[in-house]
Amino acid sequence: AKTKVSWSESIDSYILDQSDGKASATEIAKALNFNRQNVSSYLSRSPLYLAFKTGREVLYGLKTPTT
């Protein structure tokens, strides 16, 4: 049986799959077929992500776990 992957797990694995470990909300939303506004709000509110501003674009990366 296929396990249902949570929304945040999908986003996390997409970010981790990127060569630099960062992705924009737009890229994530397109790749995962999620609503861009929802992805953007989630990433900017969650303490699990770091935002990197590059010009007009904001890229998000996962904070490194401290464990």
Side-chain angles (χ1 to χ4, degrees), residues 23-53:
S24 72
T26 308
E27 289 173 328
I28 295 166
K30 272 188 190 151
L32 302 175
N33 206 18
F34 289 159
N35 176 285
R36 195 201 64 81
Q37 198 57 57
N38 292 350
V39 172
S40 188
S41 300
Y42 170 74
L43 292 170
S44 58
R45 288 195 192 113
S46 173
L48 303 173
Y49 305 94
L50 290 170
F52 303 91
K53 212 164 172 56

Side-chain angles (χ1 to χ4, degrees), residues 4-5 7-9 12-14 16-17 24 26 32 38 40 49-50 52 55 60:
K4 182 135 174 56
V5 176
W7 209 70
S8 60
E9 285 175 323
D12 291 358
S13 45
Y14 182 80
L16 292 169
D17 282 347
S24 72
T26 308
L32 302 175
N38 292 350
S40 188
Y49 305 94
L50 290 170
F52 303 91
Y60 293 93

